[in-house]
Amino acid sequence: MMRIKIRRPAARFSITSCAAAALSAIPFCATLLSASMVFAAPAQAAILPGVNLAGPAFASGKIPGRYGWDYVFPKQQEIDYYTSHGMKLFRLPLSWERLQPEPSGPLDQAYLQHVRDFVTAAQAAGALTIIDIHNYGAYRGQLIGTEEAPVALFTDLWVKLAHEFGSSPSVLFGLMNEPKQKSADEWANFQQQAINAIRKTGATNRILAAGIDWDGAHNFQQVNGTALARLHDPRKALLFEAHQYFDRDSSGTAPDCVSEDQVEGRLAPFADWLEAHHAKGVLGEFGVGRSPACLADLRHAMTYIYSRPSLWYGWTYWAGGPLWGEYMYTLEPKKDGSERPQMEILRDVLQSQPSENHAH
């Protein structure tokens, strides 16, 4: 998401450590059996709950930016806080330009080490990590598929990441956040090339494919359904990601929410598509404000997701992270340590679910 500008505190942060590793505290396919069948990996025991831990992709207009000032990585205390509340899936939004400063060049070792440290710490806490390239389908402002940013740049990035994390069962590959390409068919083709390139490295990680037009769940079938149904993963470990906000225009930019009776209608198009294509999905972003109406929407959304458990691999609320301050959707605790009302809803939902071990 990150469609709003956040005023960042002028603060410096210290380095903390976790049990396993030091963690920085600062800041189309012709081989388809059917066009209507997209095979996901075998069913897992339970839906994985989680949160976006934003920070590494902040200040996207300042590249490379100042570490600990313009951008940060999540702290160990955040991993501890969210896992203590039952969160088992972290979506880590990354800046492509910081991760790979030059087109098709080597990955920046300092930035990459922060990612490694986070993955290690999350795994030690029993959580998985989605590596999310939070670039809206572009590199240095140029859309993938143009002369300035050919598809080869995109596949090169993912080949390098596959070599880094391809042997880690706790890492999922989120190909791209909310791509701005105009054609769903074109974007699906780009993703297929990335999937093929990743698999050629031998990496077995689950891969998350996303759709255009803000990747909305409410219009997923209409906008992205036909194109994404053509994707093929030879390892059958492909997941589909959608986002959904509950303000009037589904943009995630307002504190107010639609009436509770509209919640299911916003999620059902994506869920119905998953069911029709024998696929599994991740609700990669969703969030609400703090009003009673919004909190009712959040509870209803969770109830709906858990009413169709065979369709969902997991969900990651937007958002946590150390730089949000009083951002309307934040899950970060208040300065006095008390919980946000959104977290109270999510905690209640998680406590009501059977305790099961998730098959990675």
Side-chain angles (χ1 to χ4, degrees):
M1 184 188 162
M2 300 216 304
R3 302 176 209 167
I4 61 173
K5 292 183 178 179
I6 303 295
R7 184 178 182 87
R8 293 160 193 74
R12 294 190 177 272
F13 302 83
S14 61
I15 304 296
T16 61
S17 60
C18 67
L23 174 68
S24 173
I26 62 177
F28 272 87
C29 181
T31 60
L32 294 175
L33 296 176
S34 167
S36 64
M37 298 286 287
V38 178
F39 294 98
Q44 73 279 344
I47 298 170
L48 275 180
V51 62
N52 287 265
L53 288 183
F58 269 33
S60 59
K62 297 180 180 179
I63 300 297
R66 294 171 295 173
Y67 178 58
W69 184 278
D70 296 313
Y71 69 97
V72 299
F73 273 76
K75 297 174 283 189
Q76 179 66 43
Q77 67 190 57
E78 291 173 304
I79 293 175
D80 294 343
Y81 174 73
Y82 289 109
T83 54
S84 73
H85 284 68
M87 303 295 193
K88 299 179 181 180
L89 183 61
F90 293 122
R91 185 170 181 255
L92 187 66
L94 301 180
S95 162
W96 184 355
E97 293 83 1
R98 290 183 182 127
L99 179 60
Q100 189 178 38
E102 297 298 329
S104 298
L107 302 183
D108 181 84
Q109 288 302 304
Y111 195 86
L112 179 62
Q113 189 59 50
H114 293 311
V115 180
R116 293 189 190 112
D117 289 346
F118 179 84
V119 166
T120 300
Q123 184 175 14
L128 309 184
T129 300
I130 300 171
I131 292 178
D132 162 46
I133 303 302
H134 213 79
N135 271 67
Y136 305 92
Y139 180 76
R140 296 195 176 275
Q142 303 298 319
L143 286 176
I144 301 305
T146 60
E147 183 177 351
E148 297 81 5
V151 183
L153 297 186
F154 184 48
T155 57
D156 176 82
L157 169 69
W158 277 110
V159 164
K160 289 181 168 69
L161 286 171
H163 284 304
E164 286 288 340
F165 297 102
S167 62
S168 175
S170 72
V171 174
L172 294 79
F173 294 159
L175 296 179
M176 182 61 66
N177 175 73
E178 298 181 352
K180 291 186 177 181
Q181 278 70 9
K182 299 300 183 183
S183 166
D185 287 334
E186 178 185 59
W187 179 247
N189 178 268
F190 298 166
Q191 291 188 108
Q192 186 65 64
Q193 292 184 54
I195 293 167
N196 294 344
I198 289 169
R199 293 305 181 219
K200 284 181 181 178
T201 70
T204 60
N205 312 64
R206 293 183 184 270
I207 299 173
L208 280 69
I212 65 168
D213 196 20
W214 303 110
D215 202 17
H218 66 282
N219 61 0
F220 191 89
Q221 293 193 49
Q222 174 188 354
V223 175
N224 292 296
T226 300
L228 294 188
R230 300 189 181 105
L231 293 180
H232 170 70
D233 176 16
R235 292 201 60 87
K236 300 180 181 179
L238 185 61
L239 303 171
F240 294 87
E241 180 179 347
H243 299 173
Q244 189 58 54
Y245 292 90
F246 299 100
D247 48 351
R248 182 184 57 80
D249 59 0
S250 298
S251 66
T253 59
D256 301 320
C257 295
V258 297
S259 60
E260 188 178 349
D261 60 5
Q262 297 184 46
V263 169
E264 186 172 324
R266 293 200 174 187
L267 295 174
F270 180 52
D272 291 345
W273 184 91
L274 292 170
E275 184 173 47
H277 293 85
H278 306 274
K280 278 194 173 289
V282 174
L283 191 61
E285 288 186 19
F286 64 103
V288 299
R290 300 170 189 145
S291 70
C294 287
L295 298 177
D297 280 6
L298 179 58
R299 188 179 294 277
H300 195 108
M302 290 288 97
T303 299
Y304 178 76
I305 288 172
Y306 283 97
S307 75
R308 306 182 73 177
S310 65
L311 306 179
W312 302 95
Y313 180 86
W315 51 261
T316 48
Y317 181 94
W318 184 271
L323 297 184
W324 285 119
E326 289 302 310
Y327 172 54
M328 58 190 172
Y329 295 165
T330 185
L331 287 185
E332 288 292 302
K334 301 175 186 177
K335 292 181 178 179
D336 63 5
S338 60
E339 292 186 347
R340 300 290 179 175
Q342 297 97 323
M343 178 57 90
E344 294 177 355
I345 297 293
L346 295 177
R347 182 197 61 207
D348 291 347
V349 169
L350 293 178
Q351 289 178 349
S352 71
Q353 300 304 313
S355 177
E356 299 178 0
N357 293 324
H358 188 93
H360 296 173

